[in-house]
Every structure is written in structure tokens, then in C-alpha cells.
Amino acid sequence: MVTVKIVKDLLAANAEIALKNRELFKTKHILVINLMSSPGSGNTSLLEATVKAIGNQYRIGVIEGDIEGIADAERLEKLHIPVVQLNTKGACHIDAPMVERGLEELPLDDIDILFIENVGNLVCPAEFDCGEDYKVLVFSVTEGDDKPLKYPLMFHESTAMVINKTDLLPYLDSSLETIKRNSLKSNPKLKIFEVSTKNNYNLDSWLRWLITKLTDKRGRV
Ligand code: MG
Ligand code: ZN
């Protein structure tokens, strides 16, 4: 595993570098998902479940963004996939220059689907284009059904949302219907999946969506 320490703030160059990243992904025929979430929503668990389910048919790589530490990258590396850990050293999101640095450490010719696991934060990750094809939000039912109304940009910028930990709904006041209704207020076109990574419940539609998007992208290049 390679740990890349981000020392410079390169926000000004973001749009330009995002374009460059996107061109590179197109050349390499890689589907790129910018995975955003709150801390503790189970986004790393979703990646683990995804790799276990389709990792033998599709080559998956991960750029793992965290402020500090390598815990998530270590979890994913156990699945024998290429992983780069980005440590943002205080920055609360991943941007395009950080992704560009991470790409130098990845075997791009051997990757079909690349996930950028963003820093856990429902605010600014939505504001930064990293060159991805789609932003996908992982949202845990434990976060409360009012959150889509409090952080609308995150929901607006996402193409799809994976609602996780649905197995916990019986213990919560949160309603799945309210989460969905409030999310669609910010983004009526949001594609919604309801899963539990705890017991691999209902992952199929999420996996089918991913594979369809990969097929679409390959058809376009
Ligand atoms: Mg994580
Ligand atoms: Zn930020």
C-alpha cells in the first residue's frame, strides 16, 4: 500500500485537473465512482461487499481518502485489490489534484472500476469534481431522516444513493419513506438503493447498476 501525504492546497487547479483525470479515465476505459458519506455510514463495508460480490469478474481499485490513518485501506487490501491511501492531513474532502497524485500509484491498465472513497463529510465533497463519472452517496438510516433537508447539495450532486443499515430500522425513529421523500426533494432523479452491508441484504440492484454503468462507459469509448 502507498500512503500519499497531501501537503499543498491545490484547489485553484481543481477544475483543470478534474478534466485531465476524466480524459485519462476515458483513455483507460475505467468507470470512476466518487463515493461520499458521513463518517460511519458503512461506505468501506459497501466497498468490501462489492469487491466480494463482483471482484472476480471486474477488477476494482480504490483511492481511500481519510484525514489520518490507514485503517480503511488495510481493510480493503485484505481483498487483494489495488488500494492507495490518501491522507489529507486536515482537509475535509478529496479534490482532483489529490486524485491525480493517487493515480500515479495505481495500475490503471488493470482496473475496470475505480472507487474514490471520499473523506466522511456531508458538506464539501459535493463541491469538488475529481474527474469521476458519478458521485454516489452512502447514507445510513441511523443519520436521521431529516438530514437530506439539512445537506441538500450532497443529495443534489449525487446520481445515486445507497441507503445502508436498513437492518437497524426497527430500532430507530427514522423512516425509510421519509429519508427517500426528503432526498428526492433535492434531486428528483436520484437513483436509490436500500441495502444492509451487515447481512448483504439487497445488494443486487446496486451491483447491477454499477455493471450497467461500466458497460455504458465502455460503449461510449
Ligand atoms: Mg471508510
Ligand atoms: Zn472540505
Side-chain angles (χ1 to χ4, degrees):
M1 179 211 310
V2 181
T3 304
V4 179
K5 292 187 172 56
I6 305 299
V7 289
K8 267 179 81 182
D9 186 352
L10 295 166
L11 296 186
N14 195 70
E16 192 186 321
I17 307 282
L19 205 69
K20 232 177 111 189
N21 290 347
R22 189 165 279 119
E23 279 303 310
L24 179 62
F25 297 142
K26 192 175 161 193
T27 309
K28 300 287 185 185
H29 305 178
I30 303 173
L31 175 72
V32 182
I33 305 290
N34 186 346
L35 204 62
M36 313 182 296
S37 72
S38 288
S41 62
N43 53 356
T44 308
S45 298
L46 180 69
L47 287 183
E48 286 175 319
T50 302
V51 171
K52 282 176 189 165
I54 61 168
N56 53 351
Q57 299 151 267
Y58 302 95
R59 299 165 302 174
I60 296 174
V62 179
I63 293 179
E64 180 65 50
D66 284 293
I67 292 175
E68 293 277 353
I70 58 170
D72 285 353
E74 282 181 338
R75 279 171 64 185
L76 293 164
E77 234 178 14
K78 286 192 185 121
L79 303 174
H80 309 291
I81 60 167
V83 181
V84 177
Q85 176 77 58
L86 297 183
N87 276 162
T88 61
K89 297 294 171 190
C92 42
H93 58 268
I94 297 295
D95 65 17
M98 294 178 195
V99 168
E100 186 184 40
R101 287 280 309 278
L103 293 177
E104 291 170 15
E105 312 295 343
L106 283 172
L108 295 181
D109 290 323
D110 301 317
I111 293 176
D112 300 311
I113 304 174
L114 175 67
F115 287 98
I116 301 164
E117 189 182 324
N118 221 305
V119 177
N121 173 356
L122 279 191
V123 187
C124 46
E127 296 169 21
F128 290 85
D129 181 8
C130 294
E132 71 276 348
D133 294 292
Y134 304 103
K135 286 186 165 77
V136 173
L137 174 62
V138 183
F139 186 84
S140 165
V141 295
T142 55
E143 295 176 52
D145 50 25
D146 57 339
K147 296 307 175 294
L149 301 177
K150 292 187 174 182
Y151 304 93
L153 186 67
M154 187 61 67
F155 294 80
H156 184 262
E157 292 297 313
S158 297
T159 301
M161 168 167 73
V162 180
I163 302 178
N164 192 16
K165 307 196 186 184
T166 54
D167 55 302
L168 296 178
L169 280 165
Y171 310 101
L172 303 170
D173 294 329
S174 280
S175 137
L176 193 57
E177 288 316 308
T178 309
I179 291 173
K180 290 196 281 186
R181 192 175 62 243
N182 287 342
S183 302
L184 291 168
K185 277 183 192 163
S186 297
N187 181 359
K189 288 192 289 189
L190 187 65
K191 175 84 184 156
I192 299 176
F193 306 103
E194 301 159 27
V195 311
S196 171
T197 51
K198 185 76 182 167
N199 51 24
N200 283 338
Y201 167 74
N202 213 18
L203 286 169
D204 281 5
S205 51
W206 154 248
L207 297 170
R208 268 202 308 276
W209 182 85
L210 261 186
I211 293 166
T212 303
K213 294 302 182 191
L214 176 63
T215 311
D216 283 357
K217 181 153 192 190
R218 285 176 171 169
R220 277 188 268 127
V221 292

